[in-house]
Amino acid sequence: MPARIRPHVVAALALVAAGGLSACTGTPDPQTAATALAEALATGTLDGAPLSAADSERATTELDEVLGTLAETPRTVVADVGEVEEAGDAPTVPVELTWTVDVDASDTDLTWTSSTELTLDGDSWTAPWARRMLHPDAGTDGVLSSRRVPADRGEILGAGGSAIVTSREVWRIGIDKANLPEADVADAAVALATTLGLDPQAFADRTAAAGPRAFVEAIVVRRYDHGDVDVEGARRLPGVLLVEDVLPLAPTAAFARPVLGTVGAATAELIENSDGAIQAGDVVGLSGLQQQYDETLRGLPGTTVALTAGGATREIFSTEPRAGSDVTTTLDPRLQMVAESLLSPVKSPSALVALRPSTGEVLAAASGPGSAGFSTATLGGYAPGSTFKVATALALLRSGLTTDSPMDCTPTAVADGREFSNYPGFPADAVGPTTLEGVIATSCNTALIGARDRVDAADLATAAASLGLGVALEAGVPTLVGEVPTDATGTEHAASMIGQGRIVASPLAMATVAASVAAGSRVSPVLVTDVGGKSLPAAADGAVEAATDETSAPAPLTDDEAAALRRMMRAVVTDGTASFLVDVPGGEVFAKTGTAEFGAQEAAGAHAWIVGFQDDLAVAVLVEDGFSGAATAGPLLEELLRAAR
């Protein structure tokens, strides 16, 4: 609905009668009545306005008629009172009424001047009602009308300035009540909803509630890519209308939808909270980047105001729409579509995030269909399992170990009475004396838990922060940066050593860990680089967010540390749990698998993870309910790396 009226009434006095009429005779000042009249016209509430009793009821009706679609538009009315004329039966005074109407969000207002006169009736000034009080050319039947002219919506661009979200042709499919007998409307609505796979009763109720000649939209589909929607079946149904339109859409219905978001008709809540900038029927961003940057993308609509009087219509005001501006992202359309294709068969929530380590640019942020529209890629919070061992290894390096330091991979390890074991199927020949490199390659839990006294929880948090996990950032989209507790002790600290306990990470955060090892320094991911021609602020370089105290700011990753981590992640591929990646074409592949168990033992599940990098591409893959990182997430990473060549 239109914006609520916010009246602001100003009355200017130009009373020229010598000495002032009220001062000489005791007659009331006409300025008071003029101000009251202006206020009543501005608010649209004529009760108590200085009108004759005979005019009051007609005035209220005609006010709404003349203003038409402008009736609820914010406006001011200013009253200028002229010189009192005492000729005739009673004193009169001319009044000019200057109207200023805030028709749209532009800086230009619609203004006009109408007139009336006040007549002294006993001890009160009243005005005779006439339509010309509302507009000088209203005559006896004048009506004002306004029409918003939509602005072209800005585009969401991808890497290299390629258009991701741009205008694409659609069908709006719905019931045209004007072309149906009233008795047939309910059956038609149920038939259409059933054909489209919608809730029949809900759509029938919505159709019944609409006006007698309304078009009630059921669904919007791409004109040349209907998916599973039976457009032709709907077209053949009685009372169904397909309306051609264009909407800003991504290449496919699923393309980065949780990140990019959607557009559609403005909701009542958005209209109410927009301070008049959004009106009913406007197309706005409803979620994701489309909503986050809606003000930039939607531009400013134009407005045309016309006056119809005496059978003729003329335009009295117009503003041109101002097209919205673009938002530029780093997404690579081809890589994003490959990632989504790989996740399409996965039933549980899943995600694949790809970064460019040299720049931090997010090339793909895909969430599978099991995520049901939630951006698992950027906001999903999960225990990272053994992928966190990259950070654990860094903490142990800082404690004085090297990749060749001897360690013991035992069948089990006990921490404060709790027994930990290695993953099911752990190779028997990997049990026994080994090195830190061997521990990371085979993902031995017990060896790392056995070394827990070398590092405390704060050491783990600081090491993770050096790799970007838990560090505040400005990616241009909402993100979960992750959290590593600094106060974990006992069995909880033991669990932290292998990426469980209270450690939480998103796929974006774990892709950042891999990218930081590849780059040799902490990477700050970025997904939105420019909004309306303005570059976003550089990525934050602050302390660990909600993970460390003020004394535990991220320590820089040294060249030697990065080299050691790369050596260990390469060993995962050549001699460990990700050997299936050893023959991927291109440069050497570095990886770390991870399996994080969750749930009670009888219904236990596992988050399947893998992180890795090749050349200037770092990737994290998560499947919420999988078998293991190597078996479930690993093949997805392999296919992505092969497709990225």
Side-chain angles (χ1 to χ4, degrees):
M1 61 179 286
R4 299 174 69 90
I5 293 175
R6 302 183 307 280
H8 173 64
V9 183
V10 181
L13 176 62
L15 187 60
V16 189
L21 185 66
S22 60
C24 297
T25 66
T27 303
D29 186 347
Q31 181 64 50
T32 302
T35 300
L37 179 62
E39 181 176 357
L41 294 173
T43 62
T45 303
L46 298 181
D47 295 343
L51 298 171
S52 66
D55 286 342
S56 182
E57 183 175 346
R58 179 168 63 92
T60 298
T61 300
E62 291 194 355
L63 174 67
D64 290 338
E65 286 179 359
V66 175
L67 294 181
T69 54
L70 296 178
E72 296 291 334
T73 304
R75 60 183 180 265
T76 63
V77 182
V78 177
D80 270 339
V81 179
E83 182 177 353
V84 174
E85 299 176 3
E86 297 194 64
D89 295 335
T92 61
V93 59
V95 178
E96 285 191 350
L97 299 165
T98 301
W99 295 68
T100 303
V101 184
D102 184 11
V103 292
D104 58 27
S106 71
D107 297 329
T108 306
D109 294 327
L110 167 60
T111 63
W112 70 84
T113 300
S114 61
S115 63
T116 188
E117 66 178 11
L118 296 173
T119 301
L120 187 62
D121 181 8
D123 58 358
S124 300
W125 293 95
T126 61
W129 177 258
R131 285 190 180 230
R132 72 173 183 275
M133 188 185 297
L134 307 182
H135 193 280
D137 300 325
T140 60
D141 62 353
V143 173
L144 292 164
S145 61
S146 65
R147 178 174 62 88
R148 281 166 72 85
V149 182
D152 290 336
R153 192 170 178 85
E155 297 181 333
I156 295 183
L157 308 177
S162 58
I164 293 179
V165 178
T166 188
S167 294
R168 304 180 196 273
E169 295 182 26
V170 298
W171 290 117
R172 295 185 180 275
I173 305 174
I175 294 293
D176 183 12
K177 295 179 70 173
N179 289 318
L180 270 178
E182 184 177 354
D184 296 341
V185 168
D187 288 343
V190 169
L192 177 58
T194 301
T195 299
L196 298 177
L198 306 176
D199 183 333
Q201 189 59 54
F203 182 62
D205 291 344
R206 185 155 58 87
T207 303
R213 301 183 62 82
F215 170 72
V216 186
E217 184 179 289
I219 195 172
V220 179
V221 299
R222 296 162 187 265
R223 188 170 181 183
Y224 301 108
D225 180 14
H226 308 151
D228 297 330
V229 178
D230 185 4
V231 171
E232 293 308 313
R235 191 194 300 270
R236 292 191 292 268
L237 296 173
V240 170
L241 182 64
L242 275 67
V243 179
E244 295 182 16
D245 201 353
V246 293
L247 280 178
L249 298 173
T252 68
F255 186 96
R257 187 183 181 96
V259 173
L260 300 179
T262 60
V263 296
T267 64
E269 182 181 6
L270 289 173
I271 293 168
E272 184 176 355
N273 294 333
S274 72
D275 198 27
I278 300 173
Q279 295 186 14
D282 285 355
V283 173
V284 299
L286 300 177
S287 62
L289 295 182
Q290 291 284 5
Q291 183 180 49
Q292 184 177 350
Y293 299 111
D294 182 64
E295 186 174 348
T296 296
L297 289 163
R298 76 169 181 265
L300 290 175
T303 300
T304 298
V305 179
L307 173 67
T308 301
T313 299
R314 65 182 178 89
E315 182 180 296
I316 62 173
F317 177 83
S318 67
T319 59
E320 292 296 321
R322 300 182 200 169
S325 299
D326 298 337
V327 171
T328 302
T329 75
T330 58
L331 294 177
D332 181 311
R334 188 183 75 86
L335 201 60
Q336 178 74 26
M337 294 181 77
V338 168
E340 289 175 351
S341 176
L342 293 174
L343 296 178
S344 62
V346 181
K347 294 182 179 180
S348 72
S350 59
L352 190 157
V353 176
L355 298 179
R356 181 172 284 130
S358 61
T359 62
E361 295 169 316
V362 179
L363 304 179
S367 300
S371 297
F374 179 71
S375 184
T376 303
T378 58
L379 294 171
Y382 299 88
S386 293
T387 58
F388 183 77
K389 290 174 182 175
V390 177
T392 303
L394 177 58
L396 290 173
L397 290 172
R398 290 175 173 176
S399 78
L401 297 186
T402 68
T403 56
D404 296 324
S405 292
M407 300 189 77
D408 191 12
C409 182
T410 56
T412 61
V414 177
D416 286 3
R418 177 183 170 184
E419 183 177 83
F420 291 83
S421 61
N422 295 308
Y423 60 83
F426 187 82
D429 60 2
V431 177
T434 183
T435 62
L436 178 58
E437 179 181 323
V439 166
I440 299 302
T442 61
S443 203
C444 177
N445 292 337
T446 59
L448 294 177
I449 291 171
R452 66 187 181 280
D453 291 338
R454 295 190 64 92
V455 294
D456 60 19
D459 295 329
L460 286 180
T462 301
S466 297
L467 299 172
L469 176 56
V471 180
L473 57 90
E474 294 288 346
V477 294
T479 58
L480 187 149
V481 298
E483 181 174 353
V484 181
T486 59
D487 58 351
T489 58
T491 57
E492 187 177 61
H493 177 51
S496 294
M497 296 290 288
I498 58 174
Q500 302 213 173
R502 284 189 284 139
I503 297 178
V504 175
S506 66
L508 175 62
M510 293 313 299
T512 302
V513 169
S516 297
V517 176
S521 61
R522 180 167 59 83
V523 169
S524 292
V526 60
L527 194 147
V528 177
T529 58
D530 184 280
V531 177
K534 296 181 180 180
S535 297
L536 290 191
D541 193 24
V544 180
E545 184 178 65
T548 67
D549 58 34
E550 294 180 358
T551 64
S552 303
L557 186 65
T558 69
D559 291 343
D560 288 344
E561 290 169 346
L565 293 176
R566 284 193 287 269
R567 175 177 166 179
M568 287 184 273
M569 291 182 70
R570 179 58 181 166
V572 174
V573 175
T574 57
D575 302 304
T577 57
S579 59
F580 51 87
L581 297 173
V582 74
D583 62 350
V584 172
E588 292 183 337
V589 179
F590 304 75
K592 182 67 194 80
T593 57
T595 306
E597 297 179 355
F598 67 90
Q601 187 171 3
E602 61 274 9
H607 304 318
W609 286 90
I610 190 168
V611 299
F613 60 89
Q614 181 185 39
D615 300 326
D616 199 20
L617 182 67
V619 182
V621 181
L622 162 75
V623 176
E624 182 179 288
D625 191 3
F627 179 73
S628 69
T632 307
L636 300 175
L637 173 61
E638 179 181 2
E639 290 189 58
L640 182 86
L641 293 178
R642 291 182 182 277
R645 304 308 304 165

